[in-house]
Amino acid sequence: MQGNFTYHNPTKLYFGEEAMSHLAGELKGYGPVVMLSYGGGSIKKNGIYDAVVAVLKETGKTIVEDPGVMPNPTYEKVMEGCHLVRDNKVDLILAVGGGSTIDYAKAVSASAYCEEDAWEKYWVKQGWPSCQTVAVGSVLTMVGTGSEMNGGSVITNRKAGFKLGKVFGPALYPKFTILNPRFTMTVPQYQMVAGFFDIMSHLMEQYFAGKADCTTDYLIEGLMRSLIHSSRIAAKNPQDYEARANIMWTATWALNTLLKCGKGGDWEVHQIGHAIGLVTDATHGMTLASVSLPYYRHVMQDGLHQFVRFATNVWGVRPEGKSDEQVANEGLSCLESWMKEIGVVMHSSELGVSEKNLQAVTDAVKILPVGYRTLTRDEVVEILRESM
């Protein structure tokens, strides 16, 4: 373990099939006006909307409807939410959906009373709220982002030409989150496996950094093995409760800030994935899947020791009689086989990336000076071409 850190996570989690029974008690701690934020309306078809609204009415809340949060929430939509918050004097934003809806709720919370340009302040300059914020709670229906227990908020600004993330402090974490694994069974297979890879990517982004013997790496390896095991079961039988529950719990711990303790991080796969999502509006987890193997093969030599560890400790590769490079490559081949097994997108061309928009994607990539190697813009192009 290296460095100094403080770990504090204020989000209260209610997990399991009876988790919704705690929503009424949580709502009593907030004022009378609740903004109900959700996506395209699938929660109205699967009964989750009715269940949540029933609790809101039971607790005497005034409901401000805020539907239409898109999978890659836009800054324009955030501004619409800000108007609803101010006009209705909202006391709590209740996000019902996946990570995009929760990311959106945090963005609205931080921006509604911000007197500056919120995009510039938070997502460009990475500043901090100095204004009134609004409490956020969540009911999770799709796993992947970990947004239910962190301060992350990824927003797309098409006018500015960027999709950027901002990690707010604990004050913007959801105050509470309802985690019922049954709710995740309403998600289509494509979205489900995209979420699985999003979890894996979060783990790898934090794993492939640093050189010291770190307790956090052992935690990440255990979570990876759990995810690999349960995802194989869920991909074949999405209704397997135990598998879906294990995956839901792994997703939360993969990105609730615990795993960055004592480590750095990479996050360049996410930057490239965000750029693809900006240009093509593709599903986030699939954008990550499409570029991960080209990226990791590109930087493998720079962090060879960790890629060897990944192969042996996560995938069970036997190192006897092999060079470090052979072991590391075998580990990445195991990753590739698992990706194909669960059914994620393997090539960015399947998502709409082509030579015609390659420059637009490249220009939208934010290059971070982190991980084992800081990319050049030419290397980004090379990785994207390999991903196609």
Side-chain angles (χ1 to χ4, degrees), residues 269 288-300 332 339 346-347 382-388:
V269 166
L288 303 177
S290 72
V291 299
S292 286
L293 286 167
Y295 176 78
Y296 287 125
R297 285 174 174 144
H298 193 84
V299 303
M300 186 188 76
L332 291 179
M339 292 167 67
M346 301 301 295
H347 302 285
E382 182 181 343
I383 289 166
L384 283 166
R385 283 207 169 102
E386 289 175 3
S387 78
M388 292 162 60

Side-chain angles (χ1 to χ4, degrees), residues 80-98:
E80 290 178 10
C82 290
H83 285 298
L84 285 173
V85 166
R86 292 193 299 268
D87 292 347
N88 295 278
K89 295 180 172 58
V90 168
D91 299 296
L92 172 72
I93 304 171
L94 183 61
V96 182

